[in-house]
Amino acid sequence: MYVTSLGEDGAELRPLEPWRAEEFLAHMERGREFIGQYIALPDVVKDVESSRSYLQSYADKAAADTGRIYGIWTDGTLVGGVLFRTMDVALGIAEAGCWLEPAAVGKGLVTRAARVIIDWAVEERGIHRVEWQVAAANEASIAVARRLGMTKEGVLRESYPYRGKRHDMEIWSVLAPEWRSGKQAS
């Protein structure tokens, strides 16, 4: 097991593994309504069994090299996470995503954590294109995409049916050369 520091405030990024199912569920309970505004994760993680199953699906993806999931901890408490929902190393494409409970909002945690995993994907796994798909109304997640140096490519109109309504989805991305240039500039 490893821990990656996310800065001087003590925030940490760690793999989110199946043995953390109870902790993951407690985190979902604290943030269920807030997290569920735009993503279905809280609808999937309802009890310890579904929490373990969800985390196991990502352990399986990690073993197959098709996805990853990481938790963000502050003061020893799981408060959010970042992931590669999909990852195709042969094609060089991955889709990153995030979530955060309300108590952790506004601290730059998702941006810092996403930088770590995107840098790993580009530099270690040879990913050429990292995508960020976000509900058009999710201004906080769009702000993260901007801070990561991503480019908005377009809008998939009413492409995401969620909780009885169709939502527009924005597609953002960063290419490996852009990522490297952005790192050098900062």
Side-chain angles (χ1 to χ4, degrees), residues 21-184:
E22 290 181 15
E23 184 178 16
F24 187 51
L25 177 61
H27 158 60
M28 275 301 119
E29 292 299 338
R30 289 190 304 273
R32 188 169 299 284
E33 187 175 321
F34 182 78
I35 296 167
Q37 291 176 89
Y38 301 108
I39 63 172
L41 179 57
D43 298 343
V44 174
V45 178
K46 298 178 181 180
D47 53 30
V48 174
E49 183 179 327
S50 60
S51 178
R52 186 172 289 109
S53 177
Y54 183 81
L55 294 178
Q56 184 62 52
S57 74
Y58 274 90
D60 295 343
K61 285 182 178 190
D65 205 19
T66 60
R68 301 281 191 288
I69 190 168
Y70 305 91
I72 300 169
W73 277 260
T74 60
D75 299 320
T77 301
L78 177 64
V79 296
V82 290
L83 53 74
F84 286 115
R85 197 180 70 74
T86 61
M87 193 164 80
D88 187 323
V89 176
L91 290 177
I93 299 173
E95 180 194 337
C98 66
W99 72 93
L100 203 59
E101 68 182 57
V105 170
K107 300 175 183 175
L109 295 169
V110 167
T111 302
R112 288 184 273 160
R115 279 189 182 123
V116 170
I117 69 166
I118 291 170
D119 198 60
W120 171 82
V122 169
E123 302 300 346
E124 299 294 324
R125 299 303 298 128
I127 296 296
H128 178 73
R129 173 187 171 84
V130 177
E131 297 178 354
W132 191 269
Q133 296 189 23
V134 56
N138 190 344
E139 294 175 16
S141 189
I142 290 168
V144 171
R146 284 190 181 107
R147 284 191 297 272
L148 293 171
M150 294 186 166
T151 299
K152 180 179 174 181
E153 297 183 334
V155 177
L156 301 174
R157 298 178 315 132
E158 296 186 6
S159 66
Y160 180 55
Y162 182 58
R163 294 184 175 175
K165 182 180 175 191
R166 289 197 159 273
H167 299 266
D168 292 350
M169 294 297 289
E170 293 187 5
I171 307 299
W172 292 73
S173 74
V174 65
L175 304 179
E178 298 165 342
W179 181 257
R180 290 181 183 114
S181 292
K183 279 190 344 184
Q184 290 174 353

Side-chain angles (χ1 to χ4, degrees), residues 1-4 12-17 19-20 23 71 73:
M1 163 112 156
Y2 66 88
V3 174
T4 302
E12 298 175 333
L13 185 68
R14 305 178 196 162
L16 196 46
E17 299 171 321
W19 63 272
R20 293 192 178 272
E23 184 178 16
W73 277 260

